[in-house]
Amino acid sequence: MSRGELRIYLGAAPGVGKTFAALEEARRRCARGTDVVVGFVETHGRRHTAELLEGLEAVPRKVVGGVAELDVDAVLARAPAVAIVDELAHANAPGSRNGQRWQDVDELLDAGIDVISTVNVHDLASLNDVVAQITGVPQEQTVPDEVVRRADQVELADITPEALRRRMVHGNVYPPEKVGPALADYFRVGNLTALREIALLWLADKVEDQLEQYREDQHITATWESKERVVVALSGGDEGDTLIRRAARIAARSGGADLKAVYVASGDGLTSARSARNLARQRNLVEGLGGSYHQVVGRAIPNALLEFARGVNATQLVLGASRRGRFAQMLSRGVGVTTAASSGKIDVHLVSHERVATVRRPSGNRGVVGGRRRLGIALAILGVPALCMAMLPLHEELSLTTMILIVLTAVMGLTLAGGMWPALLGALSGSLLLNYFFTEPYNTFKVHDQEQLISLAIFVALALGGASVVNLSAARARLAARASTEAQTLATLAGTVLRGGSRVEDLLERLRETFSLESATLLERTEAGAGPAERQDAKLWRVVACAGEGCASPGAAENDLPIGDDLALALRGHTLEAADRRIAQAFAMHAAAALERERLERQAAAVQRLTDTDKLRTALLAAVSHDLRTPLASARVAVSSLRSTGDLFTPEEHDELLESAETSLARLTSLVDNLLDMSRLQAGVLGANPVPVALDDAVPWALDEIGDAAAAVRLDVAPDLPEVTADPGLLQRILVNVVANALRFSPEGVPPLVIAGRHGELVQLRVVDRGPGVPDESRELMFTPFQRLGDRDNTTGVGLGLALSRGLAEAMGGSLVAEATPGGGLTMVLALPHVEEKGTE
C-alpha cells in the first residue's frame, strides 16, 4: 500500500483562513466524487467555518481525560480517501495513543489515507522562539519542521494584516470580548507583518528545496533564475576581502540572496603561505556575513568556476579585475574575460580593486609551462624566422658565432616562455635558418667549413640541454603545486572538522563539491560476500550516508574507495586521478571516523541514561537508609512505649505519644510517596489522568493539607479564571510542595502570595515569597533530585520536593520554573493549559 499524500495550509497567524481553505478544498473534492471525511476540525465558534462543515461526513471524536480528541482508530476503520485533520501541531491529551496530532496524521498517511491539515508559522519548532520574541507569547504546542517540509503540498493561506484586523473587528475570528485585548497585544500590525514575512520566507525555502530536488532528479544543470545566488571567486590575494564585501552588498540588494565564496585549487600554480593566510581570513569574513566558503579542484579556473556556479544554480558571479599588466592581457584574455565569455545566463561582475595591475602573481607561477606552451610554439614558428630575417643585412658585419649566440638567447627565451617543445622547435628552426642564410655556401643547407658545422651542432645541443633543464624544473614545480593543492584541500577539510561540520553528511557534501561529483555515498557491508562480485552486489551493502543521489554498491560507481573491511566510499560523476584519489581517501577516513563518533555518542547517551538511573537508585537507597530512619524510629518508640508502660502515662502524655507516632508515620508516608513518584518519573511510567480542575478550589485544598502554617498565605485568584487540564491529586502535590517551600523561607510577618491568572493559551499560578531568594546560576539546581541548596540539617526531607513537582507538572503537559521576585525573593511559576481553548486555530 502506498503512503498517503499530506497537504498543509500554512498561515502567519490565527484567523487568516487556513481551516476555511482546507474545508473548501474538502468540498471541492467531495463534488468530484472523492470519499472525504472530517477527522477533526475546530471551528472556535466561527460561523462561516461551521457552515462549511455542513454536509461533510464527520468521524465522532474520542474523549480522553475529559478532552475531545481525534479518534485515529475510527478514521482507520472508516478508511476514507481523504481525511481533514485540523491543527497539526496540537498536543493530545495525556492518555492518548500518540503525544501529538502530527503523529496521528502519520498513522493515517501510513495507512494510505490522504490528509489535509493546517499549521500556523508559530507552531514550527525552529521558529517558535523567534515568534515568541516578536509577539511576547510563547507557544507550547509545536510541530517539527521536518514533518511540514516533507509534506507533498504546502499552500500559504495569506491575508494582509489590515484585512485580518478588520476580520477580527467584524467578529469572524474571536468573540467580541476578546477582540480588543487581542488587537492591542498579539494582533498588532507590526506583529502580523513580521509573522507574514516569516511565513513567506519559510515557504520560499520549502519551494526552493522542491526545485533543487526536481533539478537533481531531472539532471538539469542549466541556470534557472528562480532565486538570486551570488558566487564570489577568490584567488588567495589581498583583494579577496574587497570582492567578498562587494558581493555581500550585491546579495543584500537582491533581496537577501545566497552568498557563496569559492576558491579553485589548481595544479597550475603554487600557493604561497600568504595566500593560505588570506584564504583563512576571507573564509571567516564570508561566513561572518552569512555566506558559505567552498573549495573546488580544477585544472582550468574559468571552467571550474562556471561548473561550480551552475552546480549551485548561481545567477551572479563576482570576480576581481585582472592583476596582470597590459602586455600580458594582450597575449592572454585572463580568467575574468574567459569566464565572462562562457558564462551564458550567469551575470558576471568584474570588480576593480586596489591591487589591479600592481601585484604580480605568486612567484611559484613563474617558469611553469602549462598554458604558455601555445604562446611559445607561436613565437618559435614566427619569432625565430623573423629574428633571422632581421639579421640578414648584418651578416657581413657579424660573425657566425655572434649570430648563433643571438639565436640561442632567443631559444632560451622560448624555453622560459613555453617549455621544452617550443624550445626544440626553435632550436631546430634556428639551426636550419643559420645554416641556410649565414654559412657558406649561402642559401643552401650545405656547410663547407667544419668549424661552422661544429658551432651549429653545439648550438643545437645547448638549446636542447637548456630546454631539458627547464622542463625538469617545470615538472618539479607541477609536483610541488599539486602537493600544495592537496595540502590546501586537506587543510579545508580539517577546518571543516574543527568548525563543527564533521557530520558524515557534511563531509560527503564537501567531498562531492570539491571534486565536482554527482554523488558521494558511504556504504557499510551487511554480510560477507565472495570474490570480486561482492563489490557489485547491492544486497551485501547498505547506505549509511550520502550526498547527492546515492548508489547501492561500491562497484556501481566510477570510484570505489575501500575503508577497512566493512566500509566503502563510492563516488559517482567522473573517474578521479591518482592524486585526487589520495585526497578523497583522506575524506573517506574522516567520514569513517565521524560515523564511528556518532555511533559512540549514541552509545554514550544510552550509557548516560543507565548511569542516571543507577545514580537515582543509589540515592533512593541512601534516602531509605538515612532520611526514613528518623520518622520510623520515632513512630516505633512511641508505639513501644504505649504498649510496654500501660497506665504509667497521664492522659496528656498518652495523647502526646500518639500524636508523635501519627506525625512520624505521616512524614514517613510523605517521604515514601515522593521517592516512589520520583522513581516512576525517572522510569517514565507515572500515570496522569488530567480532567478540568478549577484553581480556586484546588489552591484552598492544598493550603488545608499544609495546616495552620498556611493560614497567613494571601490569595489573588481571578474570579473568571478558566479551568485547567490537570490531575487533581498531582496538582495538589505540586501546590503543597511549592507553597510549603515558600513558607519555609518567607520572613516572619511577610507571608507568601499566591496569584493565578490567564496568560495567552495558559493559566499561570505564581507563588511569590520575600525570602533570601536564589542566585540565577543555582535556580535550575533546585530542580535536581536530592538537592537542598546548602541545607545541611538532613531533617527536612531528601530534597525531592521541587524536582518531583516539576516532573509532575510536565507529566500533565505543564511547566514549573523559578523566577526572581522583584525587590528580593523567589517566585515559582506553575503553567498549565486551560480547558476552554487549547489550540490556536
Side-chain angles (χ1 to χ4, degrees):
M1 179 184 297
S2 60
R3 181 177 169 88
E5 293 187 356
L6 176 60
R7 181 186 183 116
I8 295 177
Y9 286 90
L10 174 68
V16 296
K18 303 181 300 300
T19 305
F20 195 89
L23 291 175
E24 284 186 325
E25 175 65 18
R27 298 185 75 88
R28 282 194 295 270
R29 296 196 184 192
C30 282
R32 295 196 296 264
T34 305
D35 183 17
V36 180
V37 301
V38 176
F40 188 100
V41 169
E42 182 61 65
T43 65
H44 298 292
R46 297 166 188 167
R47 178 172 55 86
H48 298 297
T49 304
E51 290 174 353
L52 283 178
L53 279 171
E54 296 178 0
L56 293 176
E57 179 185 352
V59 176
R61 302 181 185 182
K62 182 178 182 180
V63 178
V64 182
V67 180
E69 298 287 5
L70 169 67
D71 192 339
V72 180
D73 291 325
V75 178
L76 292 174
R78 171 63 176 76
V82 180
I84 311 299
V85 182
D86 203 9
E87 298 178 359
L88 189 64
H90 171 84
N92 292 332
S96 302
R97 63 190 292 169
N98 294 310
Q100 290 189 279
R101 186 166 292 163
W102 64 265
Q103 296 170 319
D104 297 337
V105 168
D106 261 351
E107 287 196 40
L108 300 182
L109 295 173
D110 289 338
I113 300 173
D114 294 346
V115 176
I116 300 175
S117 189
T118 63
V119 167
N120 276 320
V121 71
H122 62 225
D123 295 329
L124 298 172
S126 66
L127 299 175
N128 183 264
D129 56 340
V130 177
V131 174
Q133 182 181 5
I134 294 171
T135 63
V137 180
Q139 299 295 325
E140 297 295 329
Q141 302 175 3
T142 61
V143 60
D145 288 45
E146 182 59 27
V147 174
V148 184
R149 285 190 179 278
R150 66 172 179 250
D152 299 278
Q153 298 180 63
V154 178
E155 183 172 335
L156 183 67
D158 189 33
I159 188 174
T160 65
E162 293 77 10
L164 177 55
R165 286 169 61 87
R166 286 196 301 270
R167 181 178 290 179
M168 294 184 66
V169 171
H170 294 157
N172 294 329
V173 179
Y174 288 152
E177 64 274 10
K178 296 183 179 180
V179 172
L183 291 175
D185 187 16
Y186 189 93
F187 290 87
R188 296 194 299 269
V189 173
N191 288 358
L192 296 176
T193 302
L195 294 176
R196 189 185 186 202
E197 180 181 17
I198 292 173
L200 290 170
L201 291 175
W202 192 94
L203 187 59
D205 288 339
K206 159 74 174 173
V207 174
E208 181 182 352
D209 292 341
Q210 291 177 325
L211 177 61
E212 290 301 321
Q213 185 63 46
Y214 175 81
R215 284 168 53 86
E216 183 176 333
D217 294 341
Q218 300 298 321
H219 305 289
I220 298 173
T221 58
T223 300
W224 287 7
E225 298 183 18
S226 55
K227 180 181 179 180
E228 293 292 331
R229 294 175 182 85
V230 181
V231 173
V232 53
L234 304 178
S235 64
D238 296 334
E239 75 280 358
D241 298 51
T242 301
L243 300 182
I244 291 172
R245 293 188 177 94
R246 179 62 183 275
R249 292 196 295 271
I250 293 174
R253 288 197 297 268
S254 301
D258 292 341
L259 174 63
K260 301 179 183 293
V262 59
Y263 170 71
V264 178
S266 172
D268 290 340
L270 293 170
T271 300
S272 64
R274 180 176 180 179
S275 295
R277 290 193 299 270
N278 287 341
L279 289 172
R281 184 186 69 253
Q282 290 158 10
R283 174 174 185 161
N284 291 332
L285 175 60
V286 72
E287 291 178 349
L289 293 172
S292 57
Y293 175 86
H294 307 266
Q295 182 170 312
V296 299
V297 175
R299 293 188 177 277
I301 294 178
N303 293 341
L305 282 177
L306 291 174
E307 187 174 351
F308 174 82
R310 293 187 179 110
V312 299
N313 202 23
T315 57
Q316 303 188 58
L317 183 59
V318 178
L319 299 95
S322 177
R323 297 181 296 177
R324 302 180 305 154
R326 293 182 179 178
F327 180 72
Q329 294 182 38
M330 292 174 59
L331 297 177
S332 176
R333 294 192 299 176
V335 172
V337 177
T338 304
T339 303
S342 306
S343 62
K345 292 184 177 181
I346 301 177
D347 296 335
V348 178
H349 303 264
L350 290 177
V351 179
S352 181
H353 50 84
E354 65 277 7
R355 301 287 177 174
V356 172
T358 61
V359 179
R360 298 178 63 86
R361 292 192 178 275
S363 59
N365 286 338
R366 301 174 188 172
V368 179
V369 178
R372 299 181 178 180
R373 181 168 295 158
R374 291 191 298 272
L375 174 62
I377 293 175
L379 290 176
I381 295 174
L382 302 177
V384 173
L387 178 62
C388 292
M389 295 300 295
M391 292 190 298
L392 271 178
L394 303 175
H395 76 279
E396 297 291 342
E397 301 177 9
L398 299 177
S399 65
L400 178 62
T401 303
T402 302
M403 293 182 182
I404 287 176
L405 290 176
I406 293 174
V407 176
L408 180 61
T409 302
V411 172
M412 290 298 100
L414 288 176
T415 305
L416 294 174
M420 183 174 181
W421 292 108
L424 177 61
L425 179 60
L428 293 177
S429 63
S431 64
L432 293 175
L433 291 172
L434 287 172
N435 181 7
Y436 188 83
F437 289 114
F438 302 110
T439 61
E440 296 179 355
Y442 298 118
N443 300 324
T444 67
F445 291 106
K446 298 180 180 180
V447 181
H448 290 170
D449 191 340
Q450 186 177 4
E451 182 178 352
Q452 291 179 343
L453 182 61
I454 293 173
S455 299
L456 290 175
I458 292 175
F459 161 75
V460 174
L462 288 175
L464 295 180
S468 299
V469 170
V470 171
N471 187 64
L472 179 61
S473 299
R476 291 178 176 176
R478 285 193 295 271
L479 290 175
R482 185 70 201 187
S484 175
T485 300
E486 292 181 10
Q488 288 179 23
T489 304
L490 293 176
T492 302
L493 172 61
T496 300
V497 174
L498 292 175
R499 291 167 185 269
S502 56
R503 292 176 56 252
V504 179
E505 290 79 5
D506 295 335
L507 292 174
L508 294 181
E509 178 60 30
R510 179 68 67 178
L511 172 61
R512 187 188 69 82
E513 183 180 86
T514 297
F515 294 106
S516 300
L517 298 166
E518 293 179 3
S519 68
T521 308
L522 184 63
L523 298 154
E524 185 174 34
R525 191 193 307 271
T526 57
E527 56 182 282
E534 70 172 1
R535 311 296 291 185
Q536 303 282 349
D537 191 351
K539 297 179 181 179
L540 303 180
W541 300 87
R542 72 178 183 89
V543 176
V544 177
C546 68
E549 185 177 351
C551 57
S553 65
E558 290 90 341
N559 306 277
D560 176 8
L561 304 179
I563 312 172
D565 296 331
D566 298 324
L567 290 175
L569 182 63
L571 307 177
R572 300 180 64 178
H574 57 82
T575 302
L576 297 179
E577 298 179 1
D580 291 335
R581 286 178 66 90
R582 289 198 301 270
I583 302 178
Q585 193 70 46
F587 274 94
M589 299 306 296
H590 276 285
L595 175 64
E596 183 66 19
R597 183 171 59 253
E598 289 178 5
R599 290 176 173 175
L600 289 175
E601 287 174 353
R602 288 195 292 268
Q603 293 177 7
V607 171
Q608 183 62 42
R609 288 193 294 270
L610 293 176
T611 302
D612 293 341
T613 302
D614 185 64
K615 288 180 179 179
L616 176 64
R617 186 179 296 111
T618 302
L620 289 172
L621 292 175
V624 170
S625 64
H626 185 277
D627 293 89
L628 302 186
R629 185 181 302 167
T630 300
L632 187 61
S634 299
R636 181 177 179 181
V637 168
V639 174
S640 298
S641 299
L642 289 173
R643 293 187 60 186
S644 62
T645 55
D647 299 330
L648 295 180
F649 292 104
T650 64
E652 291 79 8
E653 292 172 336
H654 186 272
D655 292 341
E656 185 177 349
L657 286 172
L658 286 176
E659 183 179 357
S660 175
E662 183 181 6
T663 302
S664 298
L665 291 174
R667 181 181 171 194
L668 179 63
T669 301
S670 176
L671 290 173
V672 170
D673 287 343
N674 280 347
L675 289 169
L676 291 178
D677 284 344
M678 180 54 68
S679 65
R680 293 192 187 102
L681 279 174
Q682 292 287 338
V685 296
L686 178 66
N689 184 29
V691 296
V693 177
L695 284 181
D696 53 358
D697 292 333
V699 174
W701 292 342
L703 298 181
D704 290 341
E705 183 175 337
I706 294 174
D708 296 338
V713 174
R714 295 174 295 161
L715 297 180
D716 184 6
V717 180
D720 58 345
L721 199 64
E723 294 180 329
V724 298
T725 302
D727 185 303
L730 300 184
L731 176 59
Q732 188 167 349
R733 294 280 300 281
I734 297 172
L735 295 176
V736 168
N737 283 333
V738 172
V739 175
N741 193 67
L743 284 167
R744 180 182 173 198
F745 291 101
S746 292
E748 187 175 356
V750 186
L753 171 63
V754 178
I755 307 174
R758 181 172 177 174
H759 186 79
E761 303 298 327
L762 301 172
V763 170
Q764 289 188 349
L765 187 141
R766 295 173 175 264
V767 180
V768 184
D769 68 60
R770 292 292 180 178
V774 177
D776 294 345
E777 63 274 9
S778 300
R779 285 190 194 133
E780 282 303 308
L781 189 62
M782 294 189 306
F783 297 100
T784 304
F786 311 105
Q787 296 289 332
R788 288 191 291 267
L789 293 185
D791 186 9
R792 302 284 191 264
D793 56 30
N794 288 329
T795 63
T796 55
V798 292
L800 284 176
L802 293 180
L804 179 60
S805 297
R806 169 174 280 188
L808 297 178
E810 292 174 351
M812 297 187 297
S815 63
L816 180 65
V817 297
E819 298 178 355
T821 301
L826 187 70
T827 299
M828 302 299 296
V829 183
L830 173 64
L832 294 170
H834 62 70
V835 174
E836 181 182 8
E837 190 178 334
K838 293 176 63 179
T840 54
E841 184 181 358

